[in-house]
Amino acid sequence: MLTTRPRGTNDILPEEIGKWHALEKTLRLVAGLYGFQEIRTPIFEHTELFQRGVGESTDIVEKEMYTFIDRGKRSVTLRPEATASTVRAFVENKLYTGPQPTKLYYLGPMFRYDRPQAGRYRQFHQFGVEVFGTRDPGVDAEVIAMAMEIYNRLGLKDLTVELNSVGCPVCRLTYRNNLQKHLEFRREKLCTVCQERLVKNPLRVLDCKNPDCREVTADVPIIADNLCGDCAGHFEKVQEYLMAFGVAFELNPRLVRGLDYYNQTAFEIVARGIGAQSSIGGGGRYDGLVEQCGGPDMPAIGYALGMERILLTLEQQGIALQTTSAVHVFVAVLGERAQLAGAQLAQHLRQKGLIVERDYLNRSLKAQLKAADRHNAGYTIILGENELVNNQVILRRMGDSSQTVISLNDVEAYLLKHIEEGHS
Ligand code: AMP
């Protein structure tokens, strides 16, 4: 136990951190391009927030939450997603009193007691955005386009945007009743979970993966044909905007967010060919949630991307994200007197903006040069007692092993010039 991490969690090791940084950089860049500002909310919240804000009849609340009683005997939960937290923060900090819309993004770890497998973890990372304060269908299309912009910038291929509308509480209720009636006759053919869903949340029967349930629901009426005028108009506009943006999409009538405060636009981005965990992002409109969480009646839309899934998809598609730069200079020293001078030189060069490594183990020159290679250093400075006396260093270009003797006073300017010119 002491030497193993909890099931479903990951260590992100130094050799992997470069791609995380690169991914985070793209996420923050695109968020900025679209005018989103970052919000950071607590990792844990009152359990009630998620019960209300995610929904009692969802898988997340029913069986996936990390909930515990703290020492003050309060029930708290590690956030399973960040929409509820963002809505809570929006309401609590009265961001609704400012000019609207409010466009927020977040990035960080989420926790779900899921069955771990490739692409599904108990601690995973999401990036997400939320827009508060507008019903404009152009915004719905824009958040979808923004998600695609992120994937495109990362170089991901073979993605599909699946799109649906789940209507509003009024037209959804009519549809829900219709659907219930339709399925009631074939109740026994549904899986046991769906038999329960049929009572509590019939729309969710549509997204069950069980082949028997799929067959039963193959010819049921679809929600897009049952929308009220307002919702149908909104749905059409979203599609019009997407086409204008050049974002391809497929209508998927099975895509549902079967909660009362989710409405109209629902979408998911699916990566083909990456196996069972193919959803690399999803979102939708939730005009009722702000009010549900104690705020004013204020529309909102958001989406979240799974960061591990994106990295996994990139890997499967053979795309390497650009990782952080290698060490510019390795400082190798020979002899005790050179130790201090070498350390001092390393300090100085770092302050000038160079990435500098040095030897801490009193190794032979050969071993130090090996270490420089391992660090992928562009140059190695060799500083021995002789050089010290003459106020000089040996500068070795690691690419071709060529060496020059150069004055200690000139080494900084030389390195800055050559590294800037890309000769490192
Ligand atoms: P959701 O909040 O369930 O809509 O999920 C949004 C995105 O987060 C999904 O499309 C996945 O990419 C990712 N995701 C959800 N659950 C997990 C998990 N357990 N492990 C890794 N990624 C996940």
Side-chain angles (χ1 to χ4, degrees), residues 112 114 119-121 124 126 257 279-282 304-306 309:
R112 295 184 195 173
D114 241 331
R120 183 173 287 280
Y121 312 102
F124 61 99
Q126 281 186 342
R257 304 218 151 209
S279 164
I280 57 167
L305 313 177
R309 291 238 186 123

Side-chain angles (χ1 to χ4, degrees), residues 163-217:
L163 184 71
N164 196 17
S165 171
V166 295
C168 62
V170 179
C171 56
R172 188 163 60 243
L173 189 64
T174 320
Y175 175 71
R176 184 191 143 117
N177 293 340
N178 268 342
L179 185 67
Q180 227 162 9
K181 264 189 234 145
H182 224 90
L183 293 176
E184 199 55 58
F185 292 109
R186 293 176 262 181
R187 185 191 183 88
E188 286 78 55
K189 293 199 172 133
L190 294 171
C191 72
T192 45
V193 184
C194 280
Q195 294 195 8
E196 253 178 63
R197 284 179 180 150
L198 192 53
V199 186
K200 284 203 271 182
N201 203 343
L203 263 70
R204 294 236 20 230
V205 177
L206 296 176
D207 73 358
C208 182
K209 303 278 183 285
N210 183 308
D212 294 337
C213 298
R214 289 251 147 181
E215 209 185 305
V216 173
T217 53

Side-chain angles (χ1 to χ4, degrees), residues 25-45:
K25 198 168 155 193
T26 301
L27 295 171
R28 290 183 192 283
L29 175 84
V30 176
L33 293 176
Y34 281 77
F36 286 80
Q37 286 187 303
E38 186 176 3
I39 184 164
R40 298 188 188 184
T41 61
I43 297 284
F44 62 91
E45 296 272 359

Side-chain angles (χ1 to χ4, degrees), residues 102-171:
T102 304
K103 295 159 91 176
L104 303 172
Y105 82 89
Y106 59 81
L107 186 161
M110 309 293 157
F111 306 84
R112 295 184 195 173
Y113 194 80
D114 241 331
R115 196 167 48 83
Q117 52 188 288
R120 183 173 287 280
Y121 312 102
R122 291 183 174 168
Q123 175 173 339
F124 61 99
H125 295 76
Q126 281 186 342
F127 162 86
V129 307
E130 317 289 352
V131 184
F132 297 99
T134 171
R135 282 175 218 281
D136 179 1
V139 167
D140 302 37
E142 216 172 89
V143 293
I144 298 171
M146 178 186 171
M148 292 311 287
E149 170 92 35
I150 290 168
Y151 299 130
N152 289 340
R153 278 177 186 258
L154 294 170
L156 285 170
K157 302 176 289 267
D158 298 331
L159 305 181
T160 311
V161 175
E162 297 188 352
L163 184 71
N164 196 17
S165 171
V166 295
C168 62
V170 179
C171 56

